[in-house]
Amino acid sequence: MSGADWDEDDPFEEQREEIENPMKRLFLEYGSNYKGAAAVGVIASIFARVLDLLPALMLGVALDAVIRQEIPYVEAFPVGGGLVAPYVPEGRLAQFWLTIGIIAGAFFLSAIFHWTRNWGFNTFAQNVQHDIRTDTYDEMQRLDMGFFADKQTGEMMSILSNDVNRLEKFLNDGMNSLFRLLVMVLGIGGLLLAINWQLALVALLPVPLIAVFTYLFIQTIQPKYAQVRSTVGKVNSRLENNLGGIQVIKSSTTESYESDRVEDVSQQYFDANWGAIRTRIKFFPGLRVLAGIGFVITFLVGGLWVISGPPGPFSGTLSNGMFVVFILYTQRFIWPMAQFGQIINMYQRARASSARIFGLMDEPNRVGEEPDAPDLAVTEGRVEYDDVSFGYDADERILEDIDFTVDGGETLALVGPTGAGKSTVLKLLLRMYDVDEGEIRVDGQSVQDVTLRSLRESLGYVSQDTFLFYGSVEENIKYGTFDADREDVIEAAKMAEAHEFIQNLPDGYDTEVGERGVKLSGGQRQRVSIARAILKDPDILVLDEATSDVDTETEMLIQRSIDDLAEDRTTFAIAHRLSTIKDADQVLVLEGGEIVERGTHEELLANGGLYSHLWGVQAGEIDELPEEFIERAQRRQARTEVDAGDDD
Ligand code: ADP
């Protein structure tokens, strides 16, 4: 998804708005665990910066006391003369060596403090970042399925990566620059005021101007950067989309059309970026002008002062050495001040990012469990749906009064047209969502009263879209049953009719699959996931079109193993090919979220209703279907097309 959509389409907005002071929370909840490291960083930073100021000051002292010999050594110090007084030797050369020693010592110590400062700030930032990332991920994993609808996974990915990284940037670079700025402004400002407060006022004049200037610059460039990010998002989506659809592009010879579209988004990116560049390249020259004005005025006033005493309204003295210190120090203000706007900006971004992170963390989980919920105890495996109604959105019912019982060990088949709500019935059993009305019970225990973990451990779910994790085939089969050994895995694979093809893969069971590995066909993936369910050996088996993606021959083979598997355990099966569920103990026919027929295969055929017509279609008796059935099918199709259209 493109960056522009983040802010407009933010699923966590409500929670975010309730978070009053995200930065305070960040420091209290996460930062406080590493206060030691942060304190080391802050203290070392102050020492390092103060030491950095020393060499320039010593140059001024040396000028006045050693080179021109106008002022006694100790008195040449604007501050801190008392500290060195006991160590000052007699004699010009000895004092010169002392100066060199102090300067060398300052450089050496400052290097140590810089190292310590980096260690402290980085320890703090990295640990906080790590803790936040893992906590956010854990929270995210607990959210109910409603959050994982397509458009929100992009959003969550961006919170987990971009926002967490942005925090690190502030915690490290931002805080670092902030302390440097503070020490520079307070340290240099204090020193200059101590040397000559009147000239200090002149020299410090550009400082607030620079602060305002950089702040305004950041305010101007921010929206431009946002636009750059959003157009980058557009370019990426377009490229991704086109790479994925390259076969369609080629076969419909729309290359030039697509080239134009890519050029169009690339041009948008170019324009946005150019707009940002135009602003950015004005910043440093502008800063130079301001800094230059400060330099010239200080040089002018200070120089006149040294040559012919205090000019105009000024009074007091200014030595040659201190004039040099003034000139050197005012120069050192500029760069830390230039970062002033940047620091504010980093702070604001970090604040927005922590608000998004805490917004995700505070998201209440609609599918939760009581803290003292007992584990599900499956005895027979009897499942009851007691007048269950449900809708994904509050205003649209998907299931209406679903009521049935499956006895332990029985097989229940769900059939009906696409969109009838068959998968939804099963998702409610897995508690991917909670029912709006009614209750689902397993051996008399409501699924909402037991722990989610125990519930899902009792269920083996094979869905129509099988996802493989990045890893080996074996790891994928063992996923969730991690203690299984190779023999068990092979046994399960054999039962799922997967052993043959796995052996033919380049590295057999060790072949890497998933996004970066060998591509398996839909049917192969499905067999791996059936093997996964077989290995798990669950009390209740849930097959959501488990064999939809395999050819008829493989289906027959898998069906045999599924029959074995389902033999003595409660099984739910959704199947389009009705031949696969012929032997089910009970068949429910769903239409528009309601059970319209129920019975065994034979009973339903004899009924002559929807089921018998669906059966007729699959047996190739299309010409013999009643007109009314065809009309209903057309109406349903039209509805699903409208639904699908809405999704876009
Ligand atoms: P079936 O399995 O019978 O094809 P589903 O249970 O998948 O039917 O879907 C039933 C209805 O619920 C459909 O109209 C579908 O568009 C809608 N639906 C399915 N999943 C979601 C979802 N995550 N959010 C909103 N609506 C959904």
Side-chain angles (χ1 to χ4, degrees):
M1 93 182 306
S2 72
D5 301 354
W6 296 350
D7 306 317
E8 293 155 19
D9 198 9
D10 184 349
F12 305 106
E13 200 173 337
E14 250 172 59
Q15 270 65 36
R16 222 183 46 186
E17 278 168 4
E18 277 169 23
I19 294 167
E20 288 208 340
N21 197 334
M23 291 308 270
K24 191 167 148 197
R25 189 164 154 192
L26 176 75
F27 281 101
L28 286 184
E29 271 181 36
Y30 288 90
S32 60
N33 297 333
Y34 306 100
K35 350 185 224 287
V40 167
V42 170
I43 293 169
S45 167
I46 294 173
F47 275 105
R49 301 306 180 188
V50 168
L51 285 167
D52 285 349
L53 296 179
L54 211 50
L57 183 70
M58 292 313 293
L59 171 64
V61 170
L63 261 176
D64 287 342
V66 183
I67 297 174
R68 296 178 60 96
Q69 290 189 295
E70 283 172 350
I71 306 172
Y73 197 84
V74 173
E75 285 167 31
F77 281 86
V79 286
L83 286 176
V84 286
Y87 312 103
V88 178
E90 289 297 326
R92 197 177 181 189
L93 209 58
Q95 289 179 351
F96 177 68
W97 279 112
L98 174 68
T99 312
I100 297 286
I102 294 178
I103 292 178
F107 274 120
F108 178 71
L109 273 180
S110 138
I112 294 179
F113 280 117
H114 274 287
W115 179 88
T116 317
R117 172 204 59 155
N118 278 328
W119 177 86
F121 280 135
N122 277 298
T123 305
F124 179 74
Q126 295 300 326
N127 278 299
V128 168
Q129 188 196 23
H130 174 74
D131 289 358
I132 288 199
R133 179 180 291 120
T134 48
D135 276 10
T136 317
Y137 176 77
D138 289 349
E139 282 303 325
M140 183 274 289
Q141 230 175 195
R142 271 194 283 277
L143 291 176
D144 53 280
M145 286 307 290
F147 282 93
F148 296 91
D150 263 344
K151 64 177 173 196
Q152 294 178 358
T153 48
E155 171 70 16
M156 284 198 257
M157 196 61 213
S158 119
I159 292 180
L160 282 166
S161 60
N162 300 350
D163 287 318
V164 174
N165 294 348
R166 209 171 278 166
L167 281 191
E168 182 205 356
K169 193 149 176 53
F170 170 73
L171 292 175
N172 204 348
D173 304 351
M175 289 200 355
N176 217 337
S177 307
L178 182 69
F179 282 104
R180 178 166 80 164
L181 183 68
L182 281 179
V183 174
M184 286 288 169
V185 173
L186 296 179
I188 296 183
L191 261 178
L192 293 186
L193 286 169
I195 297 173
N196 182 326
W197 69 269
Q198 297 170 44
L199 186 58
L201 291 184
V202 175
L204 296 178
L205 204 64
V207 172
L209 291 182
I210 292 177
V212 171
F213 177 67
T214 66
Y215 182 74
L216 289 179
F217 163 72
I218 292 293
Q219 294 301 96
T220 322
I221 197 122
Q222 265 325 296
K224 302 196 174 176
Y225 279 150
Q227 220 174 347
V228 171
R229 280 197 303 276
S230 130
T231 47
V232 168
K234 278 191 206 163
V235 172
N236 287 346
S237 317
R238 176 89 284 140
L239 293 178
E240 215 176 277
N241 199 256
N242 285 18
L243 283 178
I246 191 73
Q247 197 168 344
V248 181
I249 296 176
K250 281 182 181 296
S251 60
S252 35
T253 60
T254 46
E255 286 94 342
S256 64
Y257 171 69
E258 289 303 335
S259 293
D260 287 349
R261 291 217 284 187
V262 169
E263 195 192 325
D264 182 45
V265 284
S266 182
Q267 184 68 42
Q268 286 178 27
Y269 172 64
F270 179 96
D271 293 342
N273 219 357
W274 194 242
I277 289 169
R278 272 208 306 266
T279 309
R280 196 170 62 219
I281 57 180
K282 283 182 207 147
F283 176 62
F284 286 106
L287 203 61
R288 264 175 212 290
V289 170
L290 284 178
I293 293 174
F295 184 85
V296 169
I297 296 178
T298 311
F299 200 100
L300 178 77
V301 176
L304 286 175
W305 205 312
V306 172
I307 295 169
S308 50
F314 300 102
S315 60
T317 56
L318 181 71
S319 67
N320 288 330
M322 290 308 118
F323 171 53
V324 171
V325 172
F326 254 93
I327 293 298
L328 289 178
Y329 276 176
T330 41
Q331 284 306 291
R332 302 191 59 170
F333 259 131
I334 313 302
W335 300 117
M337 280 317 291
Q339 282 180 332
F340 175 72
Q342 201 68 35
I343 296 170
I344 293 191
N345 173 37
M346 270 194 240
Y347 176 83
Q348 282 173 340
R349 283 166 149 237
R351 199 187 133 89
S353 286
S354 2
R356 281 154 58 86
I357 289 168
F358 290 124
L360 173 68
M361 285 200 190
D362 289 357
E363 187 64 49
N365 193 350
R366 276 171 287 177
V367 175
E369 57 188 26
E370 295 295 321
D372 53 352
D375 282 343
L376 173 70
V378 180
T379 46
E380 301 162 48
R382 180 185 156 93
V383 179
E384 293 159 277
Y385 274 60
D386 189 355
D387 271 333
V388 168
S389 296
F390 170 76
Y392 290 99
D393 302 315
D395 52 357
E396 198 196 356
R397 274 287 167 86
I398 298 289
L399 296 178
E400 196 78 63
D401 292 333
I402 301 294
D403 195 275
F404 63 84
T405 302
V406 191
D407 280 329
E410 280 198 345
T411 295
L412 173 102
L414 290 162
V415 300
T418 305
K422 304 180 294 291
S423 299
T424 308
V425 169
L426 301 187
K427 284 182 198 155
L428 294 179
L429 177 61
L430 280 150
R431 275 197 86 200
M432 293 298 165
Y433 302 89
D434 270 337
V435 300
D436 292 332
E437 278 168 39
E439 193 173 64
I440 301 176
R441 288 186 294 270
V442 176
D443 285 332
Q445 305 145 83
S446 163
V447 292
Q448 294 196 35
D449 292 343
V450 296
T451 57
L452 278 169
R453 191 182 177 81
S454 66
L455 172 71
R456 290 181 187 156
E457 270 173 0
S458 313
L459 297 162
Y461 180 60
V462 183
S463 75
Q464 41 193 334
D465 31 41
T466 41
F467 181 81
L468 294 189
F469 288 92
Y470 175 67
S472 69
V473 175
E474 175 169 357
E475 281 162 356
N476 266 289
I477 295 178
K478 268 166 66 170
Y479 192 80
T481 320
F482 298 107
D483 55 353
D485 53 30
R486 177 57 73 93
E487 274 88 77
D488 300 334
V489 170
I490 294 180
E491 188 61 28
K494 279 185 177 158
M495 283 183 72
E497 298 291 340
H499 182 64
E500 292 283 307
F501 89 77
I502 294 174
Q503 273 190 316
N504 287 333
L505 293 173
D507 297 315
Y509 281 83
D510 297 318
T511 309
E512 298 285 315
V513 292
E515 207 156 286
R516 282 178 285 164
V518 169
K519 295 269 179 290
L520 298 185
S521 72
Q524 290 171 331
R525 282 210 304 276
Q526 215 145 20
R527 278 177 278 168
V528 167
S529 101
I530 292 172
R532 189 187 288 164
I534 293 176
L535 190 62
K536 188 177 175 187
D537 192 23
D539 295 304
I540 297 166
L541 190 62
V542 178
L543 306 168
D544 188 348
E545 296 197 48
T547 56
S548 63
D549 243 347
V550 298
D551 58 83
T552 324
E553 209 168 33
T554 321
E555 174 175 338
M556 180 200 69
L557 294 173
I558 299 177
Q559 198 54 50
R560 281 196 327 172
S561 57
I562 286 184
D563 287 345
D564 285 346
L565 196 65
E567 176 83 53
D568 47 6
R569 73 185 91 212
T570 313
T571 304
F572 288 79
I574 297 180
H576 267 307
R577 263 171 264 171
L578 302 182
S579 56
T580 59
I581 46 116
K582 234 168 59 187
D583 299 325
D585 300 286
Q586 210 185 145
V587 178
L588 296 184
V589 184
L590 254 68
E591 192 185 7
E594 288 177 62
I595 301 177
V596 290
E597 285 170 43
R598 62 175 89 203
T600 61
H601 171 74
E602 276 76 27
E603 288 165 0
L604 292 174
L605 273 192
N607 260 356
L610 180 58
Y611 185 86
S612 68
H613 299 317
L614 291 172
W615 180 260
V617 175
Q618 296 193 359
E621 300 158 359
I622 292 180
D623 297 338
E624 293 154 41
L625 293 168
E627 230 5 80
E628 192 225 332
F629 172 76
I630 294 176
E631 274 166 23
R632 265 167 64 186
Q634 279 165 342
R635 274 204 302 276
R636 273 197 302 267
Q637 284 299 326
R639 253 205 321 271
T640 36
E641 270 153 30
V642 170
D643 283 354
D646 286 349
D647 285 349
D648 279 347

